[in-house]
């Protein structure tokens, strides 16, 4: 047993670390760190820099741009990006669509889409959830009816993250109305400019345009846009969920947040000194750090195990990482609001053209929005309640 | 013991609830109010004044309605339940309490008519860059010049300052920044030369401002009470503020809990209502427990806020804020979580309750701040 990285792993870590800090523009990393919204351009810029280095899609098969990394290397890579506040490669392209297409798509589809997805030439979004199908995804109703060499798609998706930027959407659609729930579902991709597709923004509670509703009204989609076999889409969706198991806990992200809180606490006056002089506050920060250390080791235990097994089934242990990881991401944003204290009331759209931030602190207006927005991490990607169910069933056999 | 409202109190509750039902029929109506220039509807404010809300705490001989802490609680609970944005808290609670407890008869004669009619609004400017929640941490300076006082300094996150006519400001005449002595409370017209107000929206749909005072001259008659011993008055104002925030939080939490339970009964997944899952039932029950504990503490706050024993009062109101803050966070987070995605959207009123509750935590002292005060004072149970 040895918890230390090997010399090669340390060298790799240092290489990723310096690349992130030297090559990704500081302005983009600042926005990520401060929890301010990124523009599409920022995400594209960062991803192309990574892609040029061969690091946008390291977990893809080698022939499509992947790297032969060990699970520990992949873990190091993700954590270093997060800690340097580099935006992760666009998740729908790189962690969802790409792996599914590389595994289940045909050669023509791979050639058409994969390199463009890796370079973010196409922006992909995920059309799984529907108004009536959230946790119970398999009850989805959007249907695709075969008509010659097209499918005709009717229905609605919702919560489509950054669909407003998207060139393409990958959807789960019902192709067999008779079959039981999971069986009649297919994995279909659509060009967002196809007639009959409309996108309506949903503004999330912190005030940003992050998600959308997407409506499909007799949308004609060529059959060659079907990925894999008809009615096998549920298997591909499960593979998709199983695919990105390392990094799900976003430990690096929470670490970065904690580092920032420690920095800011030294500059935030309290009593006769600063917030960092307040032992109780330091204790609350330390509590998160301790829990995070435990999760980091848990995550590496899971990653090391993955090095051996290679299953397309989601590992129930990844549910554990998701639950605690999301809670710690949220705990860090709560500490940030506590630090901003009375100044956290001020909203970002400061009226009156004020260049005079509340109390003179230029970061405090982004603290509460980041707390508000991070409530999502225990809801999406399978809510924490669903993850509890997965563990109860899959690990405990209850 | 009697936990029931009197007949008059029931009447007051009914009329305020009716006002809110008319003024806040929907989330859209509420959001439209927040977009008005002052962040609320002037007409609605006028209606509140007609109902007596602005003159509520003043005695009948002062021209008010002779209401006490329970009446304030009734009003603030309705404000919270409906997420009303009129500056009842800033003006009717903080500002009015400062005047009620601090003004002499000449000052009352000068300010009360406008206050009670609702034509003059007040606010309280106490937070500074370095003060956090310490009311005695005052760097804003006051100096005497002949028969005048001159104020210099900066106040932060002053609620509804852009629609206030008068600002009650804490400023230091003597002593060091964190001395408890040497602080005065000054009533400054918002349009006095040297006052600059930079207003902005707040996270919860309200308004606040950074307020700068540069060589602002006010007369001796602008001082509330003792010009160098104003801290006890400021403390009392904050205690009334905490009692009012507790009631507002209670109203908001009751509404949010009801919305959540309703949603659990309606939302279907896996062929059943999600409320049929025991895991969620227990969460809704824990929310109810937190809500009832907060209700009890809001009542306790209303009962203790006029106690003559300053030490007992301070401990009680700090305890109230701790309990209510914890409930705000727990209930707010659970409500969003149990709603799933819908709880994350601006289009859903529950999300606005969540945000308001989150911000109440950071007004007039957060949980660690008040917890430490209760602990440092030896707790609530004598050893
Ligand atoms: C910000 C954000 C971005 C998103 N982005 C995308 C996207 O890009 N693409 C996409 O397809 N989807 C996306 N989603 C949707 C997300 O996956 C769903 O919100 C999630 O699956 C939950 O579904 P729901 O919102 O319908 O909640 P519901 O399923 O209605 O759940 C309501 C509550 O019931 C609980 N619950 C449900 N079933 C059970 C059970 N069996 N046992 C116990 N508790 C249960 C839930 O945990 C939750 O607390 C996004 C969501 C958010 C909030």
């Amino acid at each position: 047993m040895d918890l230390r990285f090997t010399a090669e792993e340390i060298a790799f870590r240092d290489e990723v670390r310096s690349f992130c800090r030297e090559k990704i523009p500081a302005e983009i990393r600042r926005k990520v760190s401060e929890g301010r919204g990124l523009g599409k351009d920022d995400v594209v810029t960062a991803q192309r820099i990574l892609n040029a280095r061969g690091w946008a899609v390291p977990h893809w098969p080698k022939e499509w741009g992947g790297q032969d990394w060990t699970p520990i290397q992949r873990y190091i890579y993700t954590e270093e990006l997060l800690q340097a506040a580099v935006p992760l490669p666009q998740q729908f392209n790189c962690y969802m669509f790409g792996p599914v297409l590389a595994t289940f798509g045909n050669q023509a589809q791979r050639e058409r889409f994969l390199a463009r997805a890796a370079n973010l030439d196409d922006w992909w979004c995920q059309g799984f959830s529907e108004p009536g199908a959230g946790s119970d995804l398999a009850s989805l109703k959007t249907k695709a009816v075969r008509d010659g060499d097209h499918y005709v798609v009717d229905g609605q998706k919702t919560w489509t993250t950054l669909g407003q930027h998207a060139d393409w959407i990958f959807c789960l659609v019902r192709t067999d109305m008779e079959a039981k729930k999971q069986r009649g579902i297919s994995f279909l991709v659509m060009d967002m400019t196809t007639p009959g597709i409309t996108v309506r923004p949903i503004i999330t509670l912190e005030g940003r345009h992050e998600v959308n509703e997407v409506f499909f009204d007799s949308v004609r989609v060529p059959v060659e846009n079907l990925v894999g076999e008809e009615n096998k889409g549920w298997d591909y969706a499960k593979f998709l969920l199983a695919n990105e198991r390392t990094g799900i806990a976003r430990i690096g992200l929470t670490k970065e947040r904690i580092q920032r809180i420690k920095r800011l606490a030294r500059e935030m006056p309290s009593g006769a000194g600063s917030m960092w002089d307040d032992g109780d506050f330091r204790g609350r920060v330390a509590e998160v750090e301790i829990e995070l250390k435990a999760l980091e080791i848990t995550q590496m235990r899971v990653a090391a195990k993955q090095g051996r097994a290679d299953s397309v089934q989601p590992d129930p242990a990844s549910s554990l990482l998701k639950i605690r990881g999301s809670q710690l991401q949220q705990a860090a944003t709560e500490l940030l609001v506590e630090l901003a204290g009375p100044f956290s009331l001020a909203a970002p759209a400061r009226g009156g053209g004020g260049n005079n931030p509340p109390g003179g602190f230029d970061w405090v207006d982004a603290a509460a929005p980041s707390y508000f927005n991070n409530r999502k991490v225990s809801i999406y990607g399978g809510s924490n309640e669903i993850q509890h169910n997965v563990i109860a069933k899959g690990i405990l056999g209850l | 013991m009697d936990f029931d409202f009197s007949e008059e109190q029931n009447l007051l509750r009914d009329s305020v609830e009716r006002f809110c039902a008319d003024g806040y029929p929907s989330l859209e109506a509420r959001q439209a109010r927040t977009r008005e220039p002052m962040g609320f509807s002037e007409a609605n404010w006028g209606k509140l004044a007609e109902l007596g809300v602005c003159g509520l705490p003043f005695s009948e001989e002062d021209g008010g309605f002779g209401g006490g802490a329970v009446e304030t609680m009734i009003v603030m609970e309705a404000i919270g339940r409906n997420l009303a944005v009129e500056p009842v808290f800033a003006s009717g609670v903080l500002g009015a309490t400062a005047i009620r407890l601090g003004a002499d008869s000449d000052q009352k004669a000068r300010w009360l008519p406008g206050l009670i009619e609702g034509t003059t609004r007040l606010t309280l400017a106490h937070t500074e860059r370095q003060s956090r929640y310490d009311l005695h941490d005052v760097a804003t300076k006051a100096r005497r010049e002949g028969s005048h006082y001159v104020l210099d300094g900066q106040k932060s996150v002053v609620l509804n300052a852009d629609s206030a006519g008068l600002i009650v400001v804490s400023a230091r005449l003597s002593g060091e920044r964190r001395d408890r002595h040497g602080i005065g409370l000054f009533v400054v017209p918002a349009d006095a030369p040297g006052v600059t107000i930079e207003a902005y929206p707040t996270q919860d749909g309200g308004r606040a401002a950074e307020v700068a005072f540069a060589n602002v001259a006010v007369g001796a008659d602008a001082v509330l009470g003792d010009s160098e011993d104003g801290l006890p008055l400021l403390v009392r104002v904050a205690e009334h503020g905490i009692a009012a925030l507790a009631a507002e939080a209670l109203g908001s939490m009751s509404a949010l809990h009801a919305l959540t339970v309703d949603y659990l009964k309606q939302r279907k997944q896996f062929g059943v209502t999600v409320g049929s899952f025991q895991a969620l039932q227990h969460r809704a029950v824990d929310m109810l427990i937190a809500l009832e504990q907060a209700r009890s503490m809001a009542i306790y706050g209303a009962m203790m806020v006029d106690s003559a024993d300053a030490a007992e009062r301070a401990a009680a109101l700090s305890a109230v804020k701790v309990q209510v803050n914890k409930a705000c966070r727990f209930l707010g987070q659970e409500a969003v979580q149990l709603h799933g995605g819908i709880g994350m959207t601006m289009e859903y009123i529950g999300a606005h309750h969540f945000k308001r509750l989150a911000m109440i935590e950071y007004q007039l002292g957060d949980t660690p701040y008040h917890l430490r005060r209760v602990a440092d004072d030896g707790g609530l149970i004598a050893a």
Side-chain angles (χ1 to χ4, degrees), chain A residues 91-92 96 125-137 157-163 170 204 210-212 373 375-389, chain B residues 263-264 267-270 272 274-275 277-280 283 334-345:
Chain A
Q91 55 174 334
F92 307 107
M96 298 184 184
C125 67
Q126 179 194 22
F128 281 16
S129 306
E130 298 183 3
S135 299
D136 181 15
L137 184 57
K157 296 293 174 181
T158 191
W159 310 122
T160 318
T161 297
L162 300 181
F170 57 90
T204 37
E210 195 173 285
V211 290
N212 302 272
N373 181 271
R375 300 317 303 169
K376 73 187 174 190
V377 301
S378 50
I379 295 174
Y380 67 20
S383 73
N384 280 13
E385 289 70 34
I386 295 299
Q387 307 295 347
H388 276 84
N389 291 347
Chain B
Y263 192 73
L264 292 178
R267 173 67 170 169
K268 281 194 167 169
Q269 289 289 275
F270 305 100
V272 294
V274 293
F277 301 127
Q278 265 183 359
L280 302 194
R283 307 264 289 265
E334 289 290 272
V336 171
Q337 183 67 24
L338 296 190
H339 276 88
I342 200 83
M344 286 289 303
T345 68

Side-chain angles (χ1 to χ4, degrees), chain A residues 257-279:
Chain A
R257 285 182 181 161
I258 295 290
Q259 284 164 344
R260 178 162 177 260
I261 286 167
K262 289 180 167 186
R263 252 187 348 259
L264 292 170
R266 292 188 166 82
E267 295 156 19
M268 176 56 83
S270 175
S274 77
M275 278 295 280
W276 199 242
D277 299 323
D278 177 345

Side-chain angles (χ1 to χ4, degrees), chain B residues 125-126 128 135 138 140 155 168-172 183-186 234:
Chain B
H126 59 99
E128 297 186 358
L135 300 170
V138 179
T140 297
K155 297 285 179 178
V168 181
V169 189
S170 55
R172 180 171 293 287
I183 299 165
L185 284 187
F186 300 84
L234 183 56

